[in-house]
Amino acid sequence: MKIMKAVFPVAGMGTRFLPATKASPKEMLPLVDKPLIQYVVEEAVESGITEIIMVTGRNKNAIEDHFDRSVELELLLESKNDSTRLEMIRKISDMCDFSYIRQKEPKGLGHAIARARNLVDDQPFAVLLGDDIIHSVNKPVIGQLGQIADKMESTVLAVERVPEDKVSSYGIIESEQVEQRLSRVKSMVEKPSVDQAPSNLAIIGRYILTPEIFDYIDKTEPDANGEIQLTSALNMMLADSKIYGYEFEGKRYDAGDKLGFLKATVECALRNPELGPSFRNYLSGIKL
Ligand code: UTP
Protein backbone atom coordinates (compact mmCIF):
# COMPACT_ATOMS: atom_id res chain seq x y z
CA MET A 1 0.00 0.00 0.00
CA LYS A 2 2.57 2.57 -1.08
CA ILE A 3 1.08 6.04 -1.05
CA MET A 4 2.15 8.00 -4.13
CA LYS A 5 -0.60 10.61 -4.44
CA ALA A 6 -1.67 13.36 -2.10
CA VAL A 7 -4.64 15.69 -2.22
CA PHE A 8 -4.19 19.21 -0.86
CA PRO A 9 -7.56 20.94 -0.36
CA VAL A 10 -6.66 24.64 -0.55
CA ALA A 11 -9.97 26.15 -1.63
CA GLY A 12 -11.08 27.48 1.77
CA MET A 13 -11.71 31.21 2.20
CA GLY A 14 -9.36 31.75 5.16
CA THR A 15 -11.83 34.07 6.89
CA ARG A 16 -9.92 33.89 10.19
CA PHE A 17 -7.08 35.71 8.48
CA LEU A 18 -8.99 38.56 6.88
CA PRO A 19 -8.06 41.09 5.64
CA ALA A 20 -4.74 39.40 4.72
CA THR A 21 -6.63 36.71 2.80
CA LYS A 22 -8.95 39.04 0.89
CA ALA A 23 -6.98 38.75 -2.33
CA SER A 24 -4.15 36.33 -1.49
CA PRO A 25 -4.34 32.71 -0.40
CA LYS A 26 -3.64 32.06 3.29
CA GLU A 27 -1.51 29.10 2.16
CA MET A 28 0.99 31.65 0.81
CA LEU A 29 1.51 33.40 4.16
CA PRO A 30 5.19 32.92 4.97
CA LEU A 31 6.73 31.29 8.02
CA VAL A 32 10.00 33.23 8.04
CA ASP A 33 10.81 32.91 4.32
CA LYS A 34 8.73 30.01 3.00
CA PRO A 35 4.99 29.96 2.33
CA LEU A 36 2.97 27.63 4.59
CA ILE A 37 2.04 25.40 1.68
CA GLN A 38 5.68 24.72 0.81
CA TYR A 39 6.34 23.24 4.27
CA VAL A 40 3.44 20.85 3.74
CA VAL A 41 4.49 19.94 0.17
CA GLU A 42 8.01 19.20 1.49
CA GLU A 43 6.52 16.95 4.18
CA ALA A 44 4.66 14.99 1.48
CA VAL A 45 7.70 14.72 -0.79
CA GLU A 46 9.95 13.59 2.08
CA SER A 47 7.39 10.86 2.74
CA GLY A 48 7.69 9.50 -0.81
CA ILE A 49 4.68 11.22 -2.43
CA THR A 50 5.33 11.88 -6.12
CA GLU A 51 2.07 13.44 -7.26
CA ILE A 52 0.23 16.29 -5.60
CA ILE A 53 -3.31 17.25 -6.54
CA MET A 54 -4.27 20.70 -5.32
CA VAL A 55 -7.96 21.47 -5.03
CA THR A 56 -8.02 25.23 -5.50
CA GLY A 57 -10.54 28.02 -5.80
CA ARG A 58 -10.67 31.62 -6.93
CA ASN A 59 -7.83 33.87 -5.69
CA LYS A 60 -5.49 30.88 -5.41
CA ASN A 61 -3.40 31.41 -8.55
CA ALA A 62 -0.35 32.36 -6.49
CA ILE A 63 -0.12 28.75 -5.27
CA GLU A 64 0.05 27.39 -8.81
CA ASP A 65 2.63 30.05 -9.77
CA HIS A 66 4.76 29.23 -6.74
CA PHE A 67 5.18 25.60 -7.79
CA ASP A 68 5.76 26.46 -11.46
CA ARG A 69 9.05 27.54 -13.09
CA SER A 70 9.78 31.25 -12.95
CA VAL A 71 11.89 31.70 -16.08
CA GLU A 72 12.49 35.47 -15.67
CA LEU A 73 13.64 35.02 -12.10
CA GLU A 74 15.91 32.12 -13.08
CA LEU A 75 17.48 34.21 -15.87
CA LEU A 76 18.04 37.10 -13.48
CA LEU A 77 19.70 34.91 -10.86
CA GLU A 78 21.80 33.22 -13.56
CA SER A 79 23.02 36.62 -14.81
CA LYS A 80 24.04 37.47 -11.25
CA ASN A 81 25.77 34.10 -10.76
CA ASP A 82 23.57 33.57 -7.69
CA SER A 83 23.65 29.78 -7.91
CA THR A 84 22.42 29.24 -4.33
CA ARG A 85 19.13 31.06 -4.88
CA LEU A 86 18.80 29.68 -8.40
CA GLU A 87 19.02 26.14 -7.10
CA MET A 88 16.62 26.95 -4.27
CA ILE A 89 13.86 28.24 -6.54
CA ARG A 90 14.35 25.52 -9.20
CA LYS A 91 13.95 22.86 -6.55
CA ILE A 92 10.48 24.16 -5.72
CA SER A 93 9.06 23.37 -9.14
CA ASP A 94 11.03 20.13 -9.53
CA MET A 95 9.92 18.58 -6.21
CA CYS A 96 7.12 16.49 -7.73
CA ASP A 97 4.25 16.54 -10.23
CA PHE A 98 1.48 18.98 -9.47
CA SER A 99 -2.02 19.00 -10.87
CA TYR A 100 -4.82 21.42 -10.09
CA ILE A 101 -8.55 21.12 -10.03
CA ARG A 102 -11.09 23.73 -8.98
CA GLN A 103 -13.67 23.53 -6.27
CA LYS A 104 -16.01 26.14 -7.67
CA GLU A 105 -17.64 26.92 -4.34
CA PRO A 106 -16.21 26.23 -0.87
CA LYS A 107 -18.75 23.60 0.11
CA GLY A 108 -16.67 21.86 2.74
CA LEU A 109 -13.65 19.61 3.08
CA GLY A 110 -15.49 16.45 1.97
CA HIS A 111 -16.73 18.23 -1.14
CA ALA A 112 -13.20 19.53 -1.90
CA ILE A 113 -11.67 16.04 -1.64
CA ALA A 114 -14.37 14.58 -3.90
CA ARG A 115 -13.24 16.97 -6.66
CA ALA A 116 -9.98 15.00 -6.87
CA ARG A 117 -11.68 11.64 -7.45
CA ASN A 118 -10.72 11.15 -11.10
CA LEU A 119 -7.14 12.24 -10.51
CA VAL A 120 -6.68 9.98 -7.47
CA ASP A 121 -7.98 6.89 -9.23
CA ASP A 122 -8.31 3.64 -7.32
CA GLN A 123 -5.45 3.83 -4.83
CA PRO A 124 -5.16 4.83 -1.17
CA PHE A 125 -4.06 8.44 -1.01
CA ALA A 126 -2.92 11.06 1.46
CA VAL A 127 -4.72 14.28 2.36
CA LEU A 128 -2.78 17.18 3.87
CA LEU A 129 -4.26 20.46 5.07
CA GLY A 130 -2.06 23.52 4.74
CA ASP A 131 -3.32 24.97 8.02
CA ASP A 132 -1.55 22.35 10.08
CA ILE A 133 2.19 22.78 10.10
CA ILE A 134 3.91 19.92 11.89
CA HIS A 135 7.54 19.98 12.89
CA SER A 136 8.87 16.47 13.30
CA VAL A 137 12.39 15.50 14.20
CA ASN A 138 12.45 12.05 12.66
CA LYS A 139 9.84 10.90 10.15
CA PRO A 140 7.41 13.42 8.59
CA VAL A 141 3.88 12.91 9.89
CA ILE A 142 2.24 11.82 6.64
CA GLY A 143 5.02 9.21 6.33
CA GLN A 144 4.23 7.99 9.87
CA LEU A 145 0.56 7.60 8.90
CA GLY A 146 1.49 5.86 5.64
CA GLN A 147 3.42 3.24 7.58
CA ILE A 148 0.45 2.56 9.87
CA ALA A 149 -1.99 2.47 6.94
CA ASP A 150 0.26 -0.08 5.29
CA LYS A 151 0.40 -2.23 8.42
CA MET A 152 -3.33 -2.03 9.21
CA GLU A 153 -4.48 -1.87 5.55
CA SER A 154 -6.97 0.77 6.60
CA THR A 155 -7.78 4.43 6.71
CA VAL A 156 -5.66 6.30 9.27
CA LEU A 157 -6.28 9.77 10.71
CA ALA A 158 -3.72 11.88 12.53
CA VAL A 159 -5.03 12.64 16.02
CA GLU A 160 -3.76 14.79 18.87
CA ARG A 161 -4.92 15.41 22.44
CA VAL A 162 -6.21 18.96 22.74
CA PRO A 163 -7.16 20.96 25.85
CA GLU A 164 -10.84 20.59 26.84
CA ASP A 165 -11.70 24.15 25.93
CA LYS A 166 -10.54 23.48 22.37
CA VAL A 167 -12.55 20.32 21.57
CA SER A 168 -15.36 22.39 20.02
CA SER A 169 -12.98 23.50 17.25
CA TYR A 170 -12.16 19.99 15.99
CA GLY A 171 -13.53 16.67 14.82
CA ILE A 172 -13.26 14.46 17.92
CA ILE A 173 -12.99 10.67 17.94
CA GLU A 174 -14.42 8.06 20.27
CA SER A 175 -12.00 5.18 20.17
CA GLU A 176 -10.36 2.24 21.88
CA GLN A 177 -6.62 2.05 22.14
CA VAL A 178 -5.05 -0.93 20.34
CA GLU A 179 -1.36 -0.10 20.59
CA GLN A 180 0.78 2.68 21.89
CA ARG A 181 -0.29 5.81 19.92
CA LEU A 182 -2.83 3.79 17.89
CA SER A 183 -6.59 3.70 18.48
CA ARG A 184 -9.44 2.08 16.61
CA VAL A 185 -12.09 4.70 15.89
CA LYS A 186 -15.63 3.87 16.99
CA SER A 187 -17.28 7.16 16.06
CA MET A 188 -16.50 10.76 15.26
CA VAL A 189 -18.22 13.98 16.05
CA GLU A 190 -17.56 17.30 14.34
CA LYS A 191 -16.95 20.27 16.68
CA PRO A 192 -18.78 18.94 19.79
CA SER A 193 -19.43 20.98 22.92
CA VAL A 194 -17.20 20.00 25.88
CA ASP A 195 -19.97 18.01 27.56
CA GLN A 196 -20.78 16.09 24.36
CA ALA A 197 -17.20 15.35 23.33
CA PRO A 198 -16.42 11.61 23.63
CA SER A 199 -12.72 12.36 24.29
CA ASN A 200 -10.14 15.05 23.72
CA LEU A 201 -8.56 13.24 20.75
CA ALA A 202 -8.88 15.68 17.88
CA ILE A 203 -8.52 14.92 14.18
CA ILE A 204 -5.63 16.91 12.72
CA GLY A 205 -5.12 17.76 9.04
CA ARG A 206 -3.30 14.61 7.88
CA TYR A 207 -5.15 11.56 6.59
CA ILE A 208 -4.51 8.38 4.64
CA LEU A 209 -7.78 7.52 2.94
CA THR A 210 -8.84 4.53 0.90
CA PRO A 211 -10.66 5.26 -2.37
CA GLU A 212 -13.99 3.96 -0.99
CA ILE A 213 -14.27 7.29 0.82
CA PHE A 214 -15.48 8.91 -2.42
CA ASP A 215 -18.67 6.80 -2.41
CA TYR A 216 -19.38 7.81 1.18
CA ILE A 217 -18.76 11.49 0.41
CA ASP A 218 -21.27 11.18 -2.46
CA LYS A 219 -23.83 9.88 0.03
CA THR A 220 -23.16 12.61 2.63
CA GLU A 221 -25.81 15.27 3.04
CA PRO A 222 -24.69 18.90 3.46
CA ASP A 223 -24.71 20.16 7.06
CA ALA A 224 -26.60 23.20 8.37
CA ASN A 225 -24.02 25.48 6.69
CA GLY A 226 -24.38 23.71 3.35
CA GLU A 227 -20.95 22.03 3.74
CA ILE A 228 -20.18 18.39 3.05
CA GLN A 229 -18.04 17.34 5.97
CA LEU A 230 -15.34 14.70 5.62
CA THR A 231 -16.06 13.62 9.22
CA SER A 232 -19.66 12.71 8.30
CA ALA A 233 -18.47 10.60 5.35
CA LEU A 234 -15.87 8.86 7.54
CA ASN A 235 -18.52 8.17 10.17
CA MET A 236 -20.67 6.46 7.55
CA MET A 237 -17.67 4.48 6.32
CA LEU A 238 -17.11 3.13 9.85
CA ALA A 239 -20.12 0.84 9.40
CA ASP A 240 -18.19 -1.10 6.73
CA SER A 241 -14.47 -0.47 7.32
CA LYS A 242 -11.93 -0.04 10.06
CA ILE A 243 -10.53 3.42 10.72
CA TYR A 244 -7.59 4.13 13.01
CA GLY A 245 -6.40 7.26 14.76
CA TYR A 246 -2.65 7.68 15.19
CA GLU A 247 -1.13 10.03 17.79
CA PHE A 248 1.73 11.22 15.62
CA GLU A 249 5.18 12.27 16.77
CA GLY A 250 5.77 15.95 16.11
CA LYS A 251 4.82 19.43 17.18
CA ARG A 252 1.78 20.85 15.43
CA TYR A 253 0.88 24.49 14.88
CA ASP A 254 -2.60 25.58 13.84
CA ALA A 255 -1.32 28.11 11.35
CA GLY A 256 -4.86 28.85 10.07
CA ASP A 257 -5.42 30.72 13.33
CA LYS A 258 -3.67 33.99 14.19
CA LEU A 259 -2.16 32.89 17.49
CA GLY A 260 -1.12 29.51 16.09
CA PHE A 261 0.48 31.25 13.12
CA LEU A 262 2.45 33.56 15.41
CA LYS A 263 3.68 30.62 17.53
CA ALA A 264 4.75 28.80 14.36
CA THR A 265 6.56 31.90 13.10
CA VAL A 266 8.44 32.47 16.35
CA GLU A 267 9.48 28.84 16.80
CA CYS A 268 10.41 28.45 13.14
CA ALA A 269 12.63 31.52 13.44
CA LEU A 270 14.20 30.17 16.66
CA ARG A 271 15.00 26.87 14.90
CA ASN A 272 16.52 28.64 11.90
CA PRO A 273 20.31 28.21 12.13
CA GLU A 274 21.06 31.70 10.74
CA LEU A 275 18.34 33.67 12.52
CA GLY A 276 17.90 31.63 15.69
CA PRO A 277 20.64 33.00 17.98
CA SER A 278 20.09 36.69 17.22
CA PHE A 279 16.29 36.30 17.32
CA ARG A 280 16.50 34.62 20.74
CA ASN A 281 18.64 37.49 21.90
CA TYR A 282 16.14 40.00 20.58
CA LEU A 283 13.20 38.22 22.25
CA SER A 284 14.86 38.18 25.65
CA GLY A 285 15.35 41.93 25.51
CA ILE A 286 11.87 42.95 24.31
CA LYS A 287 10.29 45.81 26.24
CA LEU A 288 6.88 47.08 25.16
P1 UTP B 1 -10.83 25.49 7.30
O1 UTP B 1 -12.25 25.75 7.54
O2 UTP B 1 -9.91 25.34 8.44
O3 UTP B 1 -10.18 26.62 6.39
O4 UTP B 1 -10.69 24.26 6.32
P2 UTP B 1 -10.77 27.89 5.74
O5 UTP B 1 -12.20 27.72 5.38
O6 UTP B 1 -9.85 28.24 4.63
O7 UTP B 1 -10.50 28.96 6.88
P3 UTP B 1 -11.44 29.80 7.82
O8 UTP B 1 -12.03 28.81 8.78
O9 UTP B 1 -12.45 30.47 6.93
O10 UTP B 1 -10.50 30.77 8.45
C1 UTP B 1 -9.67 23.27 6.44
C2 UTP B 1 -8.99 23.03 5.11
O11 UTP B 1 -9.91 22.61 4.14
C3 UTP B 1 -9.85 23.42 2.98
C4 UTP B 1 -9.22 24.73 3.44
O12 UTP B 1 -8.52 25.34 2.37
C5 UTP B 1 -8.30 24.27 4.55
O13 UTP B 1 -7.05 23.84 4.04
N1 UTP B 1 -11.22 23.61 2.46
C6 UTP B 1 -12.21 23.90 3.32
C7 UTP B 1 -11.44 23.50 1.10
O14 UTP B 1 -10.52 23.24 0.30
N2 UTP B 1 -12.72 23.68 0.64
C8 UTP B 1 -13.75 23.96 1.47
O15 UTP B 1 -14.88 24.11 0.99
C9 UTP B 1 -13.47 24.08 2.85
Side-chain angles (χ1 to χ4, degrees), residues 244-258:
Y244 291 90
Y246 183 68
E247 287 180 68
F248 56 88
E249 283 177 61
K251 179 156 190 192
R252 179 189 68 103
Y253 304 92
D254 178 6
D257 164 84
K258 284 178 207 165

Side-chain angles (χ1 to χ4, degrees), residues 63-77:
I63 299 178
E64 197 164 337
D65 291 342
H66 185 72
F67 292 104
D68 195 3
R69 294 276 302 268
S70 174
V71 179
E72 294 80 1
L73 186 57
E74 288 180 27
L75 287 174
L76 179 84
L77 294 170

Side-chain angles (χ1 to χ4, degrees), residues 3 37 51 76 78 100 151 185 202 204 220 232-233 250 254 262:
I3 312 292
I37 191 80
E51 203 177 319
L76 179 84
E78 245 165 27
Y100 298 87
K151 182 169 138 193
V185 179
I204 303 306
T220 303
S232 310
D254 178 6
L262 279 176

Side-chain angles (χ1 to χ4, degrees), residues 9-16 26-27 103 106-109 112 129 131:
V10 292
M13 303 296 276
T15 50
R16 283 171 292 166
K26 75 170 166 192
E27 293 79 7
Q103 183 191 24
K107 286 192 185 161
L109 180 58
L129 305 188
D131 289 357

Side-chain angles (χ1 to χ4, degrees), residues 8-18 21 26-27 55-57 60 103 105-113 128-132 191 207 227-229 254 256-257:
F8 281 54
V10 292
M13 303 296 276
T15 50
R16 283 171 292 166
F17 254 106
L18 282 168
T21 48
K26 75 170 166 192
E27 293 79 7
V55 182
T56 69
K60 301 283 179 167
Q103 183 191 24
E105 283 173 274
K107 286 192 185 161
L109 180 58
H111 181 263
I113 293 172
L128 296 95
L129 305 188
D131 289 357
D132 284 319
K191 303 193 168 101
Y207 311 76
E227 296 200 345
I228 296 180
Q229 298 292 353
D254 178 6
D257 164 84

